[in-house]
Amino acid sequence: MQPLLFLTLLLLSAGAYYVGRRRALAVAGGHIRNLHSLPSFYGSYAALWCGLPALLVFALWAVVQPNLLVDWVVAGLPPELRDLPPDRLNLVVNDLKNLVGGNFVSSASDPVMVEAAERYRQLRAIGNTALWVVVLSFAIAGTAYAWRAISPAFRARNRVEGVVNLFLIASSTVAIFTTVGIVLSVIFESMRFFRQVPVAEFLFGLQWSPQTALRADQVGSSGAFGAAPLFAGTLLVSAIAMLVAVPIGLMSALYLSEYATPKFRAFAKPALEILAGIPTVVYGFFAALTVAPLIREIGSALGLHVASESALAAGLVMGIMIIPFVSSLSDDVINAVPQSMRDGSYALGATKSETITRVLLPAALPGIVGSILLAISRAIGETMIVVMAAGLSANLTANPLEAVTTVTVQIVTLLTGDQEFDSPKTLAAFALGLVLFVVTLILNIIALRVVRKYREQYE
Amino acid sequence: MSTTAIDTQIALNGALNRNAPIRQSAGAQVTDYDNRQTVGKITVDNPKMACREVNVYYGQKHAIKNVSLDIGANEVIAFIGPSGCGKSTFIRCLNRMNDTIPAARVTGLIKLDDDDIHAKEIDVVQLRARVGMVFQKPNPFPKSIYENVAYGPRIHGMVNDKAELDQLVRDSLERAGLIKEVEKRMLEPGTSLSGGQQQRLCIARAIAVNPEVILMDEPCSALDPIATAKIEELIDELRENYTIVIVTHSMQQAARVSQRTAYFHLGDLIEIGDTDQIFTNPRHKLTEDYITGRFG
Amino acid sequence: MNKATSPNGATPPHERDIKTIVNAGLARRHAAERRFRWYGLTAITLGLAFVVLMFANIINKGLPAFWQTYIQVPITFDAAALDPEGQRDPRALAGADYNALVRAGLRQLFPKVEGRLPLRALSALVSTDASYDLQRRVLADPQLIGTQQEIWLLASAAVDTFVKGNIDRGLEEANRPIKDNQIDWIDQLRAAGKIERQFNAVLFRSGDSREPEQAGIRGALMGSFFTLLVTFLLSFPIGVATAVYLEEFAPKNRWTDIIEVNINNLAAVPSIVFGLLGLAVFINFFGLPRSAPLVGGLVLSLMTLPVIIIAGRAALTSVPPSIREAALGMGASKLQMVGHHVLPLAMPGMLTGSIIGMARALGESAPLLMIGMVAFIVDVPKSFLDPATVLPVQIYLWSDLPERAFVERTSAAIMVLLAFMILMNGLAILLRKRFERRW
Ligand SMILES: Nc1ncnc2c1ncn2[C@@H]1O[C@H](COP(=O)(O)OP(=O)(O)O)[C@@H](O)[C@H]1O
Ligand SMILES: [Mg+2]
């Protein structure tokens, strides 16, 4: 990165704006009404011509230069180094870069390397100078072009607006590209994984121990990639979470919307929503250091064996985290039930709770189901709490007092620490990611549909 | 009409036990605009409900001002008046629906038979079971037709078994004149009916609990003329068994279905009397103007 | 009124007296009503109790970490040992044996201690950072050489934990990190007023460390700062531009429908999946460095984008059409109308949404684990490309460490994190209150 060059370019653009404006006033003979557009548009036009092409060149250069330099330097290395297999060569290049950066490396004493580093530095210096020259010439040439183009009839505004429009449209596609990026990256890597491990074995296998498949001769054939225990663990933890979150969240929402005084509501609703703003790592810490030991103590007091990292602890805390999610969505849904339904019920002599359980809840049911689906998808995708509190052992169990592991925990475990990018261990994380993405996507789509349908019903 | 007829009554019945007299003007032929005292006879011989000096406030707003009137047993009484005059507010006092509005405050005496409806020992649940209500916009619950009607009997525990409930639902639908149309579709959602049918379903729902009084707040204003005619017919039939209070903005409707009519204006009860008399011979300028369509 | 003597008896349902029937069930129904109400109140109390409990728990654990134990030790800056040449050459000064000074100082306090093990236990009273501390002091002020000074040295974590009362004296000696003789010395030092708790500046001054008493969150804070800066610089302009495009310019067609649905779904994609994207695309495909705030910022900006877009659109729709019509009526182009009139009015709402989005990004850790921001990094990052971690990930890393002193620091780091989040959300609320407009 070259912050100085960047700043210079910004300054030049500002200058170009001024020049363009002056030029426009000059060609118009000082009378703005002779111009097609306001003078500031001519200024912006010049500034864009000054900045954009130069910036483009700048960016391109910044991407290409390091690779080119490496190629050139490698080409100049003695043949015995140059012809090393790619991974070994990579190590040499890394050493070289460290040397260039002035760091101490083991090969510092090797004269060949020192010389190569020196050459690299020289080339880089030349390259950087060239970059300045080229970028600044583009800036000046662009300004000159704009300067010549400016005439009273010139439609500067349309041009400038065209560029802005382009920027707007490009921005709106970023979200699309993000989705495409997610889909492509997980699918691409998953396909490589499924070439080594059959899909059926991955989805239905009961044995998960990816760490044993590290040796190259064992790849994929060890049968250690059966993800069923992970899915079961995810379900167990999510189920516990929902058992906590749904009753508490729903009852809170009902109380707040039907019973609470406006004052209490104004206090309690935001206070409850604090739970949604607390980072998940904090919940994880709370689960691992406070809730899990507590559960273990209670368990042993009752004579039960509780694992130190139990599904119950993770699920409970995750449930707490999801309470505001359920409650605020349900609150919206319940408030969307028209007042006339309540009136109809009260007018027949129903009590509040009868009205709630017999009219409001059935009426709001689709919306509530939708929000619970969203909450489930949230629970399934939640990572930090389970990473910190649920553990790593892939037990296929329905006992909440035992340790289980989840899809997200395994993704994190497989991808942190040293990794080779091609090992099935790493690729398995992407396969799990694919499952996670697909499941949450389906849940979300159904939930959003249901909720929207429900809203329309009462509009 | 006799000009000397003095209908004024300050016949507070003994239970009222209050000294303040009811403002009620002597019935000159036509009372002037400025006079806001009730013209006409507020009492009846066999009252089902009696209201005395009822005031309603929405926060600072004084929506009902010192209204006193009787509602006779098995009569249909119509409340008319320009919109915003407090008809709905007043009718909602009769089954304490205003309790559900936090800002609303009701004072005065309202009696159902011999019970003060605001008394401690009267439960609002019981009151509303005795005084049913039908709303302006049909509001069937998002349940089946059957369940809509069965709702009241179920919550109040009126029946002992399914057979009785079936019987009660059928009876109620029959009395509401809906049975022929819905006999075959009892399990379809109530919202699948047409607007007029929905409103009759709401009436069936209200009479299923066998109330003593039925309040109807503009029950036909959201309906087409044919559906309206059906409901009006129904009201006439229901009069045999129930006391009915109906709010309407249609004077024709009031004239067609009611025996007595009360005219409200900006929170005041301006005039009350036999429907025939109100429409043929109003005694208050405001009533006259309203009847003759000068505003409304 | 005498329709029925027994309410549910032989009379047909329609003739039963509603008054008696209702009366019969009233007590039960009111009890059910009270019960239901009580459930609701319990639920909400539970929810609020969790908030209080969690905050109390963390503050209780974390508050002591803001103070740190120091021991006052007489240090003789012996010229012969530090600078035998007498040149005051910084290189020579830096290379001197400061550990010896610390040891000598401690022995001066407890001259009777003999033997290798006891002496080692004695040195273990102070942090291993003490010698670097002396080195820094000498380099900063060579005048110290040749003098004797009473210097407050950072105590070791075990001493600190003991002084804070978190190690039980009654425990068997083998089971506690601090031994009998050390306890004895600490008691003596305490009696002599040579043990003191001072504000824990180390926590805010240094990066991570294996030694609890030397570990700080400076590195994580800077990492978070750089990461969030990248996030903001990318997601804010792109988010605002997208919102403006969708709300003001886009034709309503299939394509914009797709964009819209896509944004809504993106908002609900689990954060860890964004981490996979970052790993596959930014690191493996584009070859950006692992552990760099730049990559972290890229990933978080993709996550924050939907939040900003959704908030931005809401802000734009709340600007009344009359303003647009007025601007267009004056002959402004559509872009001018948006730029001069609509956008400034919608800006507070957009900023509010962005701040909330940034607060969320600040607390995010899962996707950053994927792109290597979990390394043990001692140095405080100085740029977007230096290896770094962020505050929540630092919390995650520390929470794995068993020492009491780290538990304390983890809670303290959480308090700092929560303070930042409260600050940001408070700012958002303030902004909303200040610019709230009723049209
Ligand atoms: N919930 C309420 N809060 C405050 N004011 C109300 C409320 N309901 C009605 N009002 C006011 O009370 C007056 C009477 O309203 P209403 O009884 O609905 O009139 P009507 O039914 O005769 O049209 C009106 O001025 C209306 O604005
Ligand atoms: Mg009304």
CSV table of all heavy atoms in Angstrom, one decimal, chain A residues 41 161 169 171 175-176 179 181 255-256 259 279 283 290 349 351-354 384 388 415 421 444, chain C residues 29 33 37 41 44 54 57 61 241-242 245 262 268 276-277 280 284 333 336 365 399 414 421:
chain,number,residue,atom,x,y,z
A,41,PHE,N,-20.6,20.5,-11.8
A,41,PHE,CA,-20.6,19.2,-12.5
A,41,PHE,C,-19.4,19.1,-13.4
A,41,PHE,O,-18.9,18.0,-13.6
A,41,PHE,CB,-21.9,19.1,-13.3
A,41,PHE,CG,-23.1,18.7,-12.5
A,41,PHE,CD1,-24.1,19.5,-12.2
A,41,PHE,CD2,-23.1,17.4,-12.0
A,41,PHE,CE1,-25.2,19.1,-11.4
A,41,PHE,CE2,-24.2,17.0,-11.2
A,41,PHE,CZ,-25.2,17.8,-10.9
A,161,GLU,N,-23.6,12.0,-13.4
A,161,GLU,CA,-24.7,11.2,-12.9
A,161,GLU,C,-24.6,9.8,-13.4
A,161,GLU,O,-25.0,8.8,-12.6
A,161,GLU,CB,-26.0,11.8,-13.2
A,161,GLU,CG,-26.2,13.1,-12.5
A,161,GLU,CD,-27.6,13.6,-12.5
A,161,GLU,OE1,-28.5,13.0,-13.2
A,161,GLU,OE2,-27.9,14.6,-11.8
A,169,ILE,N,-25.5,1.0,-8.8
A,169,ILE,CA,-25.9,-0.3,-9.3
A,169,ILE,C,-24.9,-1.3,-8.8
A,169,ILE,O,-25.2,-2.4,-8.4
A,169,ILE,CB,-26.1,-0.3,-10.8
A,169,ILE,CG1,-27.3,0.6,-11.1
A,169,ILE,CG2,-26.3,-1.7,-11.3
A,169,ILE,CD1,-27.5,0.8,-12.6
A,171,SER,N,-23.0,-1.2,-6.3
A,171,SER,CA,-23.1,-1.5,-4.9
A,171,SER,C,-24.2,-2.5,-4.6
A,171,SER,O,-24.0,-3.4,-3.8
A,171,SER,CB,-23.4,-0.2,-4.1
A,171,SER,OG,-22.4,0.7,-4.2
A,175,ALA,N,-24.3,-7.6,-2.6
A,175,ALA,CA,-25.1,-8.6,-1.8
A,175,ALA,C,-25.2,-9.8,-2.6
A,175,ALA,O,-25.1,-10.9,-2.0
A,175,ALA,CB,-26.4,-8.0,-1.3
A,176,ILE,N,-25.5,-9.7,-3.8
A,176,ILE,CA,-25.7,-10.9,-4.7
A,176,ILE,C,-24.4,-11.6,-4.8
A,176,ILE,O,-24.3,-12.9,-4.6
A,176,ILE,CB,-26.1,-10.4,-6.1
A,176,ILE,CG1,-27.5,-9.8,-6.1
A,176,ILE,CG2,-26.1,-11.6,-7.0
A,176,ILE,CD1,-28.6,-10.7,-6.1
A,179,THR,N,-23.7,-13.7,-1.7
A,179,THR,CA,-24.4,-15.0,-1.7
A,179,THR,C,-23.8,-16.0,-2.7
A,179,THR,O,-23.5,-17.1,-2.4
A,179,THR,CB,-25.9,-14.8,-2.1
A,179,THR,OG1,-26.4,-13.8,-1.3
A,179,THR,CG2,-26.7,-16.1,-2.0
A,181,GLY,N,-20.8,-15.9,-3.7
A,181,GLY,CA,-19.5,-16.3,-3.1
A,181,GLY,C,-19.6,-17.4,-2.1
A,181,GLY,O,-18.9,-18.4,-2.1
A,255,TYR,N,-47.2,-11.3,28.1
A,255,TYR,CA,-47.4,-10.4,29.2
A,255,TYR,C,-47.2,-8.9,28.8
A,255,TYR,O,-48.0,-8.1,29.2
A,255,TYR,CB,-46.4,-10.8,30.3
A,255,TYR,CG,-46.6,-10.0,31.6
A,255,TYR,CD1,-47.6,-10.5,32.5
A,255,TYR,CD2,-46.0,-8.8,31.9
A,255,TYR,CE1,-47.8,-9.8,33.7
A,255,TYR,CE2,-46.2,-8.1,33.0
A,255,TYR,CZ,-47.2,-8.6,33.9
A,255,TYR,OH,-47.4,-7.9,35.1
A,256,LEU,N,-46.1,-8.7,28.1
A,256,LEU,CA,-45.8,-7.3,27.7
A,256,LEU,C,-46.9,-6.7,26.8
A,256,LEU,O,-47.3,-5.6,27.0
A,256,LEU,CB,-44.5,-7.2,26.9
A,256,LEU,CG,-43.3,-7.4,27.8
A,256,LEU,CD1,-42.0,-7.3,27.0
A,256,LEU,CD2,-43.3,-6.3,28.9
A,259,TYR,N,-50.8,-7.6,29.2
A,259,TYR,CA,-51.0,-7.2,30.6
A,259,TYR,C,-50.2,-6.0,31.1
A,259,TYR,O,-50.7,-5.2,31.9
A,259,TYR,CB,-50.5,-8.4,31.5
A,259,TYR,CG,-51.4,-9.6,31.5
A,259,TYR,CD1,-51.1,-10.7,30.8
A,259,TYR,CD2,-52.6,-9.6,32.2
A,259,TYR,CE1,-52.0,-11.8,30.8
A,259,TYR,CE2,-53.5,-10.7,32.2
A,259,TYR,CZ,-53.2,-11.8,31.5
A,259,TYR,OH,-54.0,-12.9,31.5
A,279,PRO,N,-22.6,-9.9,23.1
A,279,PRO,CA,-21.9,-10.8,22.2
A,279,PRO,C,-21.9,-12.3,22.6
A,279,PRO,O,-21.9,-12.6,23.8
A,279,PRO,CB,-20.4,-10.3,22.3
A,279,PRO,CG,-20.5,-8.9,22.8
A,279,PRO,CD,-21.8,-8.9,23.7
A,283,TYR,N,-21.7,-15.0,26.3
A,283,TYR,CA,-22.6,-16.1,26.7
A,283,TYR,C,-21.8,-17.4,26.9
A,283,TYR,O,-22.0,-18.2,27.8
A,283,TYR,CB,-23.7,-16.4,25.7
A,283,TYR,CG,-24.8,-15.4,25.7
A,283,TYR,CD1,-24.9,-14.4,24.8
A,283,TYR,CD2,-25.8,-15.5,26.7
A,283,TYR,CE1,-26.0,-13.5,24.8
A,283,TYR,CE2,-26.8,-14.6,26.7
A,283,TYR,CZ,-26.9,-13.6,25.8
A,283,TYR,OH,-28.0,-12.7,25.9
A,290,THR,N,-19.7,-20.6,34.5
A,290,THR,CA,-20.7,-20.4,35.6
A,290,THR,C,-21.7,-21.5,35.5
A,290,THR,O,-22.0,-22.2,36.5
A,290,THR,CB,-21.3,-19.0,35.5
A,290,THR,OG1,-20.3,-18.0,35.5
A,290,THR,CG2,-22.2,-18.8,36.7
A,349,GLY,N,-67.5,-12.1,27.3
A,349,GLY,CA,-67.3,-12.4,28.7
A,349,GLY,C,-66.1,-13.3,29.0
A,349,GLY,O,-65.9,-13.8,30.1
A,351,THR,N,-62.2,-14.0,29.9
A,351,THR,CA,-61.2,-13.4,30.7
A,351,THR,C,-60.0,-13.1,29.7
A,351,THR,O,-59.9,-13.6,28.6
A,351,THR,CB,-60.7,-14.2,31.9
A,351,THR,OG1,-60.1,-15.4,31.3
A,351,THR,CG2,-61.9,-14.6,32.8
A,352,LYS,N,-59.0,-12.4,30.3
A,352,LYS,CA,-57.8,-12.1,29.4
A,352,LYS,C,-57.1,-13.3,29.0
A,352,LYS,O,-56.8,-13.5,27.9
A,352,LYS,CB,-56.9,-11.2,30.2
A,352,LYS,CG,-56.7,-9.9,29.5
A,352,LYS,CD,-55.8,-8.9,30.2
A,352,LYS,CE,-56.0,-7.6,29.5
A,352,LYS,NZ,-55.4,-6.5,30.2
A,353,SER,N,-56.9,-14.2,30.0
A,353,SER,CA,-56.1,-15.4,29.6
A,353,SER,C,-56.9,-16.3,28.6
A,353,SER,O,-56.3,-16.9,27.8
A,353,SER,CB,-55.7,-16.2,30.9
A,353,SER,OG,-56.9,-16.6,31.6
A,354,GLU,N,-58.2,-16.3,28.8
A,354,GLU,CA,-59.0,-17.1,27.8
A,354,GLU,C,-58.9,-16.5,26.4
A,354,GLU,O,-58.8,-17.2,25.4
A,354,GLU,CB,-60.5,-17.2,28.3
A,354,GLU,CG,-60.7,-18.1,29.4
A,354,GLU,CD,-62.0,-17.8,30.2
A,354,GLU,OE1,-62.7,-16.8,29.9
A,354,GLU,OE2,-62.3,-18.6,31.1
A,384,MET,N,-20.3,-19.7,19.1
A,384,MET,CA,-19.4,-19.5,20.2
A,384,MET,C,-19.8,-20.2,21.4
A,384,MET,O,-19.0,-20.8,22.1
A,384,MET,CB,-19.2,-18.0,20.5
A,384,MET,CG,-18.5,-17.2,19.4
A,384,MET,SD,-17.1,-18.1,18.7
A,384,MET,CE,-15.9,-17.9,20.0
A,388,MET,N,-17.5,-23.0,23.2
A,388,MET,CA,-16.9,-22.9,24.5
A,388,MET,C,-17.5,-23.8,25.6
A,388,MET,O,-16.9,-24.1,26.6
A,388,MET,CB,-17.1,-21.4,25.0
A,388,MET,CG,-16.2,-20.5,24.1
A,388,MET,SD,-16.7,-18.8,24.2
A,388,MET,CE,-15.8,-18.3,25.7
A,415,LEU,N,-11.0,-26.0,11.2
A,415,LEU,CA,-10.4,-24.9,10.5
A,415,LEU,C,-9.4,-24.0,11.3
A,415,LEU,O,-8.8,-23.1,10.8
A,415,LEU,CB,-11.4,-24.0,9.8
A,415,LEU,CG,-12.2,-24.7,8.6
A,415,LEU,CD1,-13.1,-23.8,8.0
A,415,LEU,CD2,-11.2,-25.2,7.6
A,421,PHE,N,-4.8,-27.2,2.9
A,421,PHE,CA,-6.0,-26.9,2.3
A,421,PHE,C,-6.7,-28.0,1.6
A,421,PHE,O,-7.9,-28.0,1.4
A,421,PHE,CB,-5.9,-25.7,1.4
A,421,PHE,CG,-7.3,-25.0,1.3
A,421,PHE,CD1,-7.8,-24.5,2.4
A,421,PHE,CD2,-8.0,-25.1,0.2
A,421,PHE,CE1,-9.1,-23.9,2.4
A,421,PHE,CE2,-9.3,-24.5,0.1
A,421,PHE,CZ,-9.8,-23.9,1.2
A,444,ASN,N,-35.1,-20.3,7.0
A,444,ASN,CA,-35.4,-18.8,6.9
A,444,ASN,C,-36.4,-18.6,5.8
A,444,ASN,O,-37.3,-17.7,6.0
A,444,ASN,CB,-34.1,-18.1,6.5
A,444,ASN,CG,-33.2,-18.0,7.7
A,444,ASN,OD1,-33.7,-18.0,8.8
A,444,ASN,ND2,-31.9,-18.0,7.4
C,29,ARG,N,-62.2,-19.7,37.0
C,29,ARG,CA,-61.7,-19.0,35.9
C,29,ARG,C,-60.8,-17.9,36.4
C,29,ARG,O,-59.8,-17.6,35.7
C,29,ARG,CB,-62.8,-18.4,35.0
C,29,ARG,CG,-63.5,-19.6,34.3
C,29,ARG,CD,-64.8,-19.1,33.7
C,29,ARG,NE,-64.6,-18.1,32.6
C,29,ARG,CZ,-65.6,-17.4,32.0
C,29,ARG,NH1,-66.8,-17.6,32.5
C,29,ARG,NH2,-65.3,-16.6,31.0
C,33,GLU,N,-56.9,-17.3,35.5
C,33,GLU,CA,-56.4,-16.0,35.0
C,33,GLU,C,-55.2,-15.5,35.8
C,33,GLU,O,-54.2,-15.1,35.2
C,33,GLU,CB,-57.6,-15.0,35.1
C,33,GLU,CG,-57.2,-13.5,34.9
C,33,GLU,CD,-56.9,-13.2,33.4
C,33,GLU,OE1,-57.3,-14.1,32.6
C,33,GLU,OE2,-56.3,-12.2,33.1
C,37,ARG,N,-51.4,-15.0,34.4
C,37,ARG,CA,-50.7,-13.7,34.6
C,37,ARG,C,-49.4,-13.9,35.3
C,37,ARG,O,-48.3,-13.3,35.0
C,37,ARG,CB,-51.6,-12.8,35.4
C,37,ARG,CG,-51.3,-11.4,35.3
C,37,ARG,CD,-52.2,-10.7,36.3
C,37,ARG,NE,-51.6,-9.4,36.5
C,37,ARG,CZ,-52.1,-8.3,35.9
C,37,ARG,NH1,-53.2,-8.4,35.2
C,37,ARG,NH2,-51.5,-7.1,36.1
C,41,LEU,N,-45.5,-13.0,34.2
C,41,LEU,CA,-44.7,-12.2,35.0
C,41,LEU,C,-43.4,-13.0,35.4
C,41,LEU,O,-42.3,-12.4,35.3
C,41,LEU,CB,-45.4,-11.8,36.3
C,41,LEU,CG,-44.8,-10.6,37.0
C,41,LEU,CD1,-44.8,-9.4,36.1
C,41,LEU,CD2,-45.6,-10.2,38.2
C,44,ILE,N,-41.0,-13.0,32.3
C,44,ILE,CA,-40.3,-11.8,32.1
C,44,ILE,C,-39.3,-11.5,33.2
C,44,ILE,O,-38.2,-11.0,33.0
C,44,ILE,CB,-41.3,-10.6,31.9
C,44,ILE,CG1,-40.6,-9.5,31.1
C,44,ILE,CG2,-41.8,-10.1,33.1
C,44,ILE,CD1,-41.6,-8.8,30.3
C,54,MET,N,-26.1,-12.1,34.7
C,54,MET,CA,-24.9,-12.2,33.9
C,54,MET,C,-24.0,-11.0,34.1
C,54,MET,O,-22.8,-11.2,34.3
C,54,MET,CB,-25.4,-12.3,32.4
C,54,MET,CG,-24.3,-12.9,31.6
C,54,MET,SD,-25.1,-14.0,30.4
C,54,MET,CE,-25.4,-12.9,29.1
C,57,ASN,N,-22.5,-11.3,37.6
C,57,ASN,CA,-21.5,-12.4,37.6
C,57,ASN,C,-20.2,-11.9,36.9
C,57,ASN,O,-19.1,-12.1,37.5
C,57,ASN,CB,-22.1,-13.5,36.8
C,57,ASN,CG,-21.1,-14.7,36.8
C,57,ASN,OD1,-20.2,-14.8,36.0
C,57,ASN,ND2,-21.4,-15.7,37.6
C,61,LYS,N,-16.6,-10.9,38.8
C,61,LYS,CA,-15.4,-11.6,38.5
C,61,LYS,C,-14.3,-10.7,37.9
C,61,LYS,O,-13.1,-10.9,38.1
C,61,LYS,CB,-15.6,-12.7,37.4
C,61,LYS,CG,-16.1,-14.0,38.0
C,61,LYS,CD,-16.0,-15.1,36.9
C,61,LYS,CE,-16.7,-16.4,37.3
C,61,LYS,NZ,-17.6,-16.9,36.3
C,241,ALA,N,-25.3,3.2,-0.6
C,241,ALA,CA,-25.6,3.2,-2.0
C,241,ALA,C,-26.6,2.2,-2.4
C,241,ALA,O,-27.5,2.5,-3.2
C,241,ALA,CB,-24.3,3.0,-2.8
C,242,THR,N,-26.5,1.0,-1.9
C,242,THR,CA,-27.5,0.0,-2.2
C,242,THR,C,-28.9,0.4,-1.8
C,242,THR,O,-29.9,0.3,-2.5
C,242,THR,CB,-27.2,-1.4,-1.5
C,242,THR,OG1,-25.8,-1.7,-1.8
C,242,THR,CG2,-28.1,-2.5,-1.9
C,245,TYR,N,-30.1,3.0,-4.1
C,245,TYR,CA,-30.5,2.5,-5.4
C,245,TYR,C,-31.8,1.8,-5.3
C,245,TYR,O,-32.7,2.0,-6.1
C,245,TYR,CB,-29.4,1.5,-5.9
C,245,TYR,CG,-29.7,0.9,-7.2
C,245,TYR,CD1,-29.8,1.7,-8.4
C,245,TYR,CD2,-30.1,-0.4,-7.3
C,245,TYR,CE1,-30.1,1.1,-9.6
C,245,TYR,CE2,-30.4,-1.0,-8.5
C,245,TYR,CZ,-30.4,-0.2,-9.6
C,245,TYR,OH,-30.8,-0.8,-10.8
C,262,ASN,N,-32.6,-11.7,-1.5
C,262,ASN,CA,-31.3,-12.1,-1.2
C,262,ASN,C,-30.7,-11.4,0.1
C,262,ASN,O,-30.1,-12.0,0.9
C,262,ASN,CB,-30.4,-11.8,-2.4
C,262,ASN,CG,-29.0,-12.1,-2.2
C,262,ASN,OD1,-28.7,-13.2,-1.9
C,262,ASN,ND2,-28.2,-11.1,-2.5
C,268,ALA,N,-29.8,-13.5,7.6
C,268,ALA,CA,-30.1,-14.6,8.5
C,268,ALA,C,-29.1,-15.8,8.4
C,268,ALA,O,-29.2,-16.8,9.0
C,268,ALA,CB,-31.5,-15.1,8.4
C,276,LEU,N,-16.4,-19.1,6.5
C,276,LEU,CA,-16.0,-20.0,5.4
C,276,LEU,C,-15.8,-19.2,4.1
C,276,LEU,O,-14.8,-19.5,3.4
C,276,LEU,CB,-17.1,-21.1,5.2
C,276,LEU,CG,-17.2,-22.1,6.4
C,276,LEU,CD1,-18.4,-23.0,6.1
C,276,LEU,CD2,-16.0,-22.9,6.5
C,277,LEU,N,-16.7,-18.3,3.8
C,277,LEU,CA,-16.5,-17.5,2.6
C,277,LEU,C,-15.2,-16.8,2.7
C,277,LEU,O,-14.4,-16.8,1.7
C,277,LEU,CB,-17.7,-16.5,2.5
C,277,LEU,CG,-17.5,-15.4,1.5
C,277,LEU,CD1,-17.8,-15.9,0.1
C,277,LEU,CD2,-18.4,-14.2,1.8
C,280,ALA,N,-12.3,-19.2,2.1
C,280,ALA,CA,-12.1,-19.7,0.7
C,280,ALA,C,-11.8,-18.6,-0.3
C,280,ALA,O,-11.0,-18.8,-1.2
C,280,ALA,CB,-13.4,-20.4,0.3
C,284,ASN,N,-7.7,-18.0,0.5
C,284,ASN,CA,-7.2,-19.1,-0.4
C,284,ASN,C,-7.2,-18.6,-1.9
C,284,ASN,O,-6.4,-19.0,-2.7
C,284,ASN,CB,-8.0,-20.4,-0.2
C,284,ASN,CG,-7.6,-21.0,1.1
C,284,ASN,OD1,-6.5,-20.9,1.5
C,284,ASN,ND2,-8.6,-21.6,1.7
C,333,SER,N,-32.5,17.3,-10.8
C,333,SER,CA,-32.5,15.9,-11.3
C,333,SER,C,-32.7,15.0,-10.2
C,333,SER,O,-32.6,15.3,-9.0
C,333,SER,CB,-31.1,15.6,-12.0
C,333,SER,OG,-30.2,15.5,-11.0
C,336,GLN,N,-29.9,14.8,-7.9
C,336,GLN,CA,-29.8,16.0,-7.1
C,336,GLN,C,-30.8,15.9,-5.9
C,336,GLN,O,-30.5,16.3,-4.8
C,336,GLN,CB,-29.9,17.2,-7.9
C,336,GLN,CG,-28.7,17.6,-8.7
C,336,GLN,CD,-29.0,18.7,-9.7
C,336,GLN,OE1,-30.1,18.7,-10.3
C,336,GLN,NE2,-28.1,19.6,-9.8
C,365,SER,N,-17.3,-13.0,16.7
C,365,SER,CA,-16.0,-13.7,16.8
C,365,SER,C,-15.9,-14.9,15.9
C,365,SER,O,-14.9,-15.2,15.3
C,365,SER,CB,-15.7,-14.1,18.2
C,365,SER,OG,-16.8,-14.4,18.9
C,399,SER,N,-10.5,-17.4,27.8
C,399,SER,CA,-11.5,-18.1,28.6
C,399,SER,C,-11.0,-19.6,28.7
C,399,SER,O,-11.5,-20.3,29.5
C,399,SER,CB,-12.8,-18.0,28.0
C,399,SER,OG,-12.9,-18.7,26.8
C,414,ILE,N,-14.3,-8.6,29.0
C,414,ILE,CA,-15.8,-8.6,28.6
C,414,ILE,C,-16.4,-7.3,29.1
C,414,ILE,O,-17.2,-6.7,28.3
C,414,ILE,CB,-16.5,-9.8,29.3
C,414,ILE,CG1,-16.1,-11.1,28.7
C,414,ILE,CG2,-18.0,-9.6,29.2
C,414,ILE,CD1,-16.7,-12.3,29.3
C,421,MET,N,-19.9,-1.6,23.6
C,421,MET,CA,-21.2,-1.9,23.0
C,421,MET,C,-22.2,-0.9,23.5
C,421,MET,O,-23.1,-0.4,22.8
C,421,MET,CB,-21.6,-3.3,23.2
C,421,MET,CG,-20.5,-4.2,22.8
C,421,MET,SD,-21.1,-5.8,22.1
C,421,MET,CE,-21.9,-5.4,20.7
